[in-house]
């Protein structure tokens, strides 16, 4: 194949199979791959109804797709997620030589205002559009939760900045009966490398009030005889998933007036990701150095000088304990 030749076109089923295999080689989780499939199938149907193939998609088709989704009364965030899937798919087509360019990137950047550069699920460091809870509001939210498990979930999200998938992945024990991802002595949680290759092997810390709630939940969890080693389990004794975490957070946030599910405005919503936003913002406002926050969040280190900026683990732990807000839990 020369530099100007393209691979012969294959049918959609074969193309999707290749795409899924490529995602697996890239160490994307099954959950992420599943989230890509649904909008892609919808888009393939949309393109077919226009008598085009996926190889012929251009900016005009993509603009029409945006309008089509908006005409279905689909919210902006969902459309953005649709285009994340489309961009990842066309990036695959380019890499494999099925197309010359990714037509999604310029359309996404021009028409979807909250476009993020990081297609692999990363977060912008500054998310000023999102609702920022005050320390008092977060304390009100956490203290309003009577369920030990649910309080532990929300508190851990707020005090560690973990993503939903990262929180769901935490195991309380390992294959040898050890303590798994949780170190009770150091009061830390280490993400499993094989599950989160790009942001794994990192350690996040918890403070005294979070550790106390987690230990109360651990004691209660053991009485449930769970079917999994996961720290957080659902009512069936199985690992609590991303959707369960999302529903849990929004339920309690709605109850205390922080979340308005019927509003189209992002600033009226409060979900698990707002806990990460709260974590980041209040560490910054309390004076924690930016590079320390990036290390705790697991952000990509993009600047060349970052590779020389080694942060001592104990120094990071002490800084965390000094700057993380307290929520008045006993």
């Amino acid at each position: 194949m020369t530099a100007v030749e393209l691979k012969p076109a294959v049918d959609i089923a074969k193309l999707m199979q290749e795409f899924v295999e490529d995602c697996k080689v890239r160490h994307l989780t099954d959950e992420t791959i599943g989230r890509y499939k649904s909008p892609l199938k919808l888009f393939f149907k949309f393109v077919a109804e226009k008598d085009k193939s996926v190889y012929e998609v251009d900016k005009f088709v993509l603009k029409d797709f945006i309008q089509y989704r908006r005409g279905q009364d689909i919210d902006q965030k969902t459309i953005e997620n649709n285009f994340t899937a489309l961009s990842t798919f066309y990036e695959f087509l380019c890499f494999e030589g099925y197309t010359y360019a990714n037509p999604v990137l310029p359309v996404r950047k021009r028409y979807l205002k909250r476009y993020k550069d990081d297609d692999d699920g990363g977060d912008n460091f500054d998310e000023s559009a999102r609702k920022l809870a005050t320390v008092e509001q977060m304390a009100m939210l956490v203290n309003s939760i009577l369920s030990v498990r649910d309080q532990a979930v929300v508190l851990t999200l707020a005090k560690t900045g973990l993503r939903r998938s990262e929180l769901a992945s935490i195991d309380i024990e390992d294959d040898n009966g050890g303590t798994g991802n949780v170190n009770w002595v150091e009061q830390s949680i280490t993400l499993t490398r094989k599950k989160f290759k790009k942001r794994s092997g990192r350690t996040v810390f918890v403070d005294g009030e979070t550790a106390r709630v987690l230990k109360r939940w651990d004691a209660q969890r053991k009485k449930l005889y769970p079917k999994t080693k996961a720290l957080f389990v659902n009512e069936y004794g199985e690992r609590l998933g991303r959707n369960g975490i999302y529903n849990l957070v929004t339920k309690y946030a709605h109850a205390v007036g922080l979340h308005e599910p019927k509003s189209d405005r992002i600033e009226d919503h409060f979900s698990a990701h707002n806990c990460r936003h709260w974590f980041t913002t209040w560490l910054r406002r309390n004076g924690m150095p930016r590079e320390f926050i990036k290390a705790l969040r697991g952000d990509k280190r993009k600047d060349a000088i970052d590779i020389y900026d080694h942060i001592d683990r104990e120094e990071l732990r002490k800084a965390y304990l000094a700057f993380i807000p307290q929520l008045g839990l006993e």
Side-chain angles (χ1 to χ4, degrees):
M1 187 175 72
T2 67
V4 295
E5 289 180 334
L6 293 177
K7 279 185 177 180
V10 298
D11 62 53
I12 288 296
K14 174 66 173 174
L15 204 57
M16 275 298 292
Q17 183 180 354
E18 292 184 15
F19 173 65
V20 169
E21 289 302 316
D22 181 74
C23 288
K24 290 179 178 178
V25 172
R26 293 175 59 206
H27 290 278
L28 298 185
T29 65
D30 291 340
E31 192 171 10
T32 297
I33 296 171
R35 292 202 306 273
Y36 285 164
K37 285 182 179 179
S38 180
L40 286 174
K41 289 178 180 178
L42 178 68
F43 181 71
F44 295 157
K45 181 180 179 182
F46 175 82
V47 170
E49 289 174 351
K50 287 184 168 290
D51 294 322
K52 289 183 176 291
S53 77
V54 294
Y55 305 101
E56 299 172 317
V57 167
D58 56 19
K59 64 182 180 182
F60 302 107
V61 174
L62 292 166
K63 286 168 62 178
D64 287 347
F65 186 62
I66 292 175
Q67 292 303 99
Y68 167 70
R69 295 296 275 160
R70 286 175 176 163
Q72 294 180 311
D73 200 26
I74 302 300
D75 63 86
Q76 177 80 356
K77 182 64 177 176
T78 300
I79 297 174
E80 291 170 7
N81 291 339
N82 290 172
F83 270 71
T84 293
L86 290 178
S87 183
T88 305
F89 176 73
Y90 276 96
E91 177 189 313
F92 156 75
L93 294 188
C94 291
F95 184 80
E96 292 296 329
Y98 285 113
T99 59
Y100 287 116
N102 181 350
V104 180
L105 292 176
V107 174
R108 191 180 177 207
K109 187 171 185 178
R110 185 173 182 85
Y111 294 105
L112 300 177
K113 293 183 179 180
R114 289 190 292 275
Y115 164 72
K116 296 178 181 180
D117 293 325
D118 189 359
D119 271 349
D120 63 7
D123 307 299
N124 286 339
F125 198 71
D126 181 14
E127 297 180 289
S128 56
R130 290 187 180 274
K131 177 195 290 288
L132 171 64
T134 64
V135 174
E136 291 75 18
Q137 286 174 324
M138 184 61 76
M140 174 184 66
L141 171 61
V142 172
N143 281 285
S144 73
I145 304 173
L146 299 180
S147 163
V148 177
R149 184 204 66 174
D150 295 356
Q151 186 181 61
V153 166
V154 177
L155 186 60
T156 303
L157 286 169
K159 290 296 190 91
T160 64
L162 290 177
R163 300 168 178 84
R164 281 183 290 160
S165 52
E166 293 170 337
L167 186 83
S169 77
I170 299 172
D171 289 337
I172 195 61
E173 59 180 291
D174 57 28
D175 294 333
N176 299 317
T179 56
N181 302 118
V182 182
N183 183 329
W184 294 115
V185 176
E186 188 186 47
Q187 294 185 181
S188 65
I189 300 169
T190 301
L191 298 185
T192 305
R193 186 170 300 278
K194 66 181 179 181
K195 292 182 180 178
F196 295 95
K197 188 173 188 295
K198 292 186 178 181
R199 300 182 185 87
S200 62
R202 90 172 191 269
T203 296
V204 295
F205 302 98
V206 296
D207 58 5
E209 60 183 6
T210 308
R212 288 191 294 273
V213 173
L214 282 173
K215 287 180 179 178
R216 285 201 291 268
W217 160 242
D218 184 37
Q220 188 177 105
R221 174 192 174 279
K222 291 174 181 175
K223 298 177 182 178
L224 301 175
Y225 300 103
K227 306 171 185 177
T228 173
K229 298 173 183 175
L231 172 60
F232 293 111
V233 296
N234 60 25
E235 59 270 29
Y236 305 107
E238 299 168 343
R239 186 180 299 272
L240 184 64
R242 292 177 76 257
N243 290 339
I245 294 170
Y246 175 86
N247 293 334
L248 182 159
V249 175
T250 54
K251 178 182 73 172
Y252 291 109
H254 180 53
V256 298
L258 288 176
H259 176 65
E260 179 45 64
K262 295 183 179 180
S263 175
D264 292 330
R265 304 193 320 156
I266 190 172
E267 56 267 34
D268 291 335
H269 291 254
F270 190 98
S271 65
H273 195 81
N274 290 78
C275 293
R276 181 170 170 82
H277 183 42
W278 182 89
F279 172 82
T280 302
T281 303
W282 287 105
L283 285 180
R284 290 185 68 184
R285 291 188 180 184
N286 286 346
M288 177 177 274
R290 186 182 181 91
E291 61 271 22
F292 280 37
I293 301 174
K294 291 175 72 174
L296 290 171
R297 282 171 48 95
D299 289 337
K300 287 184 176 180
R301 312 189 83 188
K302 296 181 179 179
D303 298 331
I305 196 170
D306 280 346
I307 65 175
Y308 301 103
D309 186 17
H310 177 74
I311 299 174
D312 178 76
R313 181 187 180 104
E314 181 60 17
E315 183 182 15
L316 184 61
R317 187 185 71 84
K318 289 180 178 179
Y320 166 81
L321 294 175
F323 292 111
I324 194 69
Q326 296 299 294
L327 301 180
L329 287 165
E330 294 299 330

